[in-house]
Amino acid sequence: MNASVDKDTCIGCGACPSICPEVFKMEDDGLATAYVTPVPSEVEASAQEAAEGCPVDAIHVE
Ligand code: F3S
């Protein structure tokens, strides 16, 4: 599974690193990034949960 954050869409709500800190983190620009991709299999479920929990659908997993 690959994960990415669309920086043009992210509003910096901070939910994704809170749900899945193994894959997502906030950067100095106040927006999230997927810093571990491909996503390790043991955290795929939580990465998916983070994607579904993003209020603006800025996270793409495939
Ligand atoms: Fe941004 Fe969505 Fe994460 S708004 S901080 S990508 S939950």
Side-chain angles (χ1 to χ4, degrees), residues 5 9-17 26 31-32 50 53-56 58-59:
V5 174
T9 306
C10 173
I11 55 171
C13 81
C16 54
M26 304 307 290
L31 303 175
C54 176
V56 292
I59 300 172

Side-chain angles (χ1 to χ4, degrees), residues 1-7 16 23-24 32-37 39 47 51 54 57-62:
M1 175 192 277
N2 287 306
S4 62
V5 174
D6 179 358
K7 292 237 179 201
C16 54
V23 174
F24 302 99
T33 188
Y35 71 105
V36 178
T37 190
V39 176
C54 176
D57 288 334
I59 300 172
H60 301 288
V61 290
E62 57 184 5

Side-chain angles (χ1 to χ4, degrees), residues 1 19-20 22-23 36 38-49:
M1 175 192 277
I19 293 169
C20 185
E22 296 88 353
V23 174
V36 178
V39 176
S41 56
E42 62 271 24
V43 294
E44 279 189 356
S46 95
Q48 181 78 45
E49 191 182 330

